[in-house]
Amino acid sequence: MHHPSLGLFSPLQLRELTLLNRIAVSPMCQYSATNGLADDWHFVHLGSRAIGGAGLILTEATSVSPEGRISPGDLGLWSDGHIPGLQRIVNFLHQQGSAAGIQLGHAGRKASMSPPWEETRLIPEEEGGWTNILGASPIAFSEHHAVPHSLSKSEILRLQQDFRAATLRAVQAGFDVLEVHAAHGYLFHQFLSPLSNTRDDEYGGSFENRARFLLETIAQVRDVWPVSLPLFVRISATDWLEFDGQPHPDGFGWTVAESLQLIPLLKNAGVDLIDVSTGGNVAKSTIPVGPGYQTIFAEQVRRTAEIRTGAVGMITSPEQADQIIRSGQADLVLLARELLRDPYWPLHAAQQLRHDISWPVQYVRAAAGHKPPRLPFVSSSTLE
């Protein structure tokens, strides 16, 4: 799977899609939408990173239903009315040579919350929040969150249809990559972890049962997502309770071992890349945050399951990102905070790594030396 000459700026082939480089804009909530609609903020925010040279740009977690939003300001794709705003963004990303990805998700018990720049609180209905908070089991995430309503079998099936319908809309909007968000304590993670899932039906208890909701949904998504295009899943590799020395009273939660058990099932279901993150489902876990602190898990998944992986988490320097690719720890690096600080990080990284990359023709005079304009985005499927 690994070739040492493949660095950060080598192309990445995923099914019939070719990314120009291995740099992806990680999904980052902006809490700036009204009724789930993408507006000028999202256009400029995502478009700037395309001008900056990222090979793949993923939207923030985009909810498949109104009550699945983390906050009232989240993006949505639960109606056809959401398509035009996203399509406008996709078209612009393609013009800059970037591939466009959408992350579909459902917040579950972490829904209807305030944005992070405000005090943590549940948003009431009179301020645009909602009371229909859903989860695997009636266990609140924290004292600030609502106790969720435990999803019935019929509600689970309806949500799977919501993911299917949102996938079809993502196709209409022109996206090249679809990622299902099963990490960070949101709905799928809530089903996976025994700390948030105490059900006694076919969706709770054993590993097979806790993984059932996600795997059934992946089947619905893959059924309507074009076979020529790649499907990603973001997971939290661990709840971080197996590493702090003191087991949680209820056990270790979701573990690396269970993640490694899940990945082959996702691979068999048609998933092409695992976006490996950690944590988010336990309010008081101890996470040893530091440079590239999650990369070890991406490497473990990649080597054990022989599937492509994305590394995310405190990746900041070009040398660090390049080394992750060259050493075979991951196939893609997803940057978040660093791309907020510098939308042109890929262009600057290329200069630092002495790689020849074309700046947008409008910016060439300001770049070091005169470079030809970047080519428009082309996937091999459009060449047939």
Side-chain angles (χ1 to χ4, degrees):
M1 282 180 75
H2 175 57
H3 195 283
S5 66
L6 295 178
L8 190 61
F9 288 94
S10 57
L12 178 60
Q13 180 85 27
L14 296 161
R15 297 203 181 216
E16 293 179 24
L17 176 74
T18 303
L19 304 182
L20 294 181
N21 58 52
R22 308 295 182 103
I23 302 165
V25 178
S26 194
M28 290 179 278
C29 290
Q30 299 297 295
Y31 308 100
S32 301
T34 304
N35 298 323
L37 295 164
D39 60 20
D40 287 350
W41 175 265
H42 305 92
F43 181 82
V44 173
H45 164 68
L46 296 169
S48 298
R49 275 85 202 157
I51 291 171
L56 171 64
I57 293 165
L58 287 153
T59 66
E60 65 187 72
T62 303
S63 184
V64 300
S65 60
E67 70 276 4
R69 291 171 292 166
I70 304 160
S71 84
D74 285 18
L75 285 181
L77 196 49
W78 62 81
S79 81
D80 290 350
H82 292 109
I83 296 171
L86 292 168
Q87 196 165 30
R88 175 180 176 232
I89 293 168
V90 168
N91 292 343
F92 184 80
L93 302 185
H94 286 168
Q95 287 165 20
Q96 309 314 308
S98 299
I102 187 164
Q103 186 191 61
L104 294 182
H106 192 294
R109 67 177 182 168
K110 294 175 88 172
S112 196
M113 295 301 292
S114 55
W117 52 80
E118 293 179 11
E119 181 188 353
T120 304
R121 66 189 181 102
L122 192 66
I123 301 294
E125 281 187 285
E126 58 269 22
E127 293 179 41
W130 52 95
T131 56
N132 185 27
I133 310 295
L134 309 172
S137 301
I139 304 167
F141 173 69
S142 78
E143 65 272 19
H144 304 293
H145 292 73
V147 175
H149 155 73
S150 183
L151 283 163
S152 67
K153 175 77 184 288
S154 63
E155 288 173 318
I156 286 171
L157 295 176
R158 182 178 59 79
L159 271 173
Q160 290 171 356
Q161 291 306 309
D162 288 344
F163 271 90
R164 184 184 179 98
T167 300
L168 285 166
R169 293 187 188 105
V171 174
Q172 279 185 265
F175 284 100
D176 312 294
V177 171
L178 189 137
E179 176 170 279
V180 173
H181 196 355
H184 299 167
Y186 298 123
L187 188 60
F188 291 119
H189 189 176
Q190 290 161 33
F191 271 79
L192 291 171
S193 174
L195 297 180
S196 44
N197 182 351
T198 57
R199 302 170 72 97
D200 57 9
D201 64 0
E202 67 265 47
Y203 292 97
S206 67
F207 164 82
E208 288 76 14
N209 284 357
R210 286 180 281 117
R212 191 183 308 278
F213 181 27
L214 174 59
L215 289 167
E216 287 179 349
T217 308
I218 293 298
Q220 290 289 339
V221 167
R222 187 74 263 188
D223 188 46
V224 292
W225 183 243
V227 72
S228 60
L229 296 177
L231 177 63
F232 293 7
V233 173
R234 173 168 273 188
I235 65 160
S236 283
T238 173
D239 279 341
W240 282 112
L241 294 179
E242 53 190 319
F243 300 103
D244 63 5
Q246 298 297 316
H248 190 278
D250 299 322
F252 286 129
W254 181 251
T255 64
V256 173
E258 287 189 309
S259 289
L260 294 175
Q261 202 177 339
L262 176 67
I263 305 306
L265 303 176
L266 292 172
K267 185 179 174 182
N268 290 342
V271 173
D272 302 285
L273 183 143
I274 306 295
D275 177 358
V276 187
S277 190
T278 61
N281 198 43
V282 180
K284 294 182 171 66
S285 60
T286 306
I287 301 177
V289 176
Y293 70 106
Q294 296 173 149
T295 306
I296 183 174
F297 301 111
E299 181 177 17
Q300 207 173 345
V301 166
R302 190 176 189 273
R303 297 197 192 288
T304 306
E306 294 189 336
I307 190 170
R308 288 196 164 109
T309 63
V312 62
M314 303 289 279
I315 299 168
T316 56
S317 80
E319 293 80 8
Q320 177 194 14
D322 192 50
Q323 181 60 25
I324 288 168
I325 302 299
R326 288 188 185 279
S327 64
Q329 290 183 290
D331 301 275
L332 192 66
V333 292
L334 295 103
L335 280 75
R337 293 178 184 89
E338 193 60 26
L339 278 169
L340 292 183
R341 290 186 280 262
D342 178 9
Y344 308 116
W345 187 93
L347 297 175
H348 296 143
Q351 286 180 317
Q352 215 163 311
L353 296 171
R354 304 190 189 289
H355 181 86
D356 189 31
I357 187 173
S358 302
W359 284 61
V361 63
Q362 297 91 335
Y363 291 4
V364 162
R365 288 169 64 83
H370 291 268
K371 306 276 171 65
R374 296 171 63 209
L375 296 171
F377 172 84
V378 180
S379 81
S380 54
S381 57
T382 61
L383 298 176
E384 293 168 1

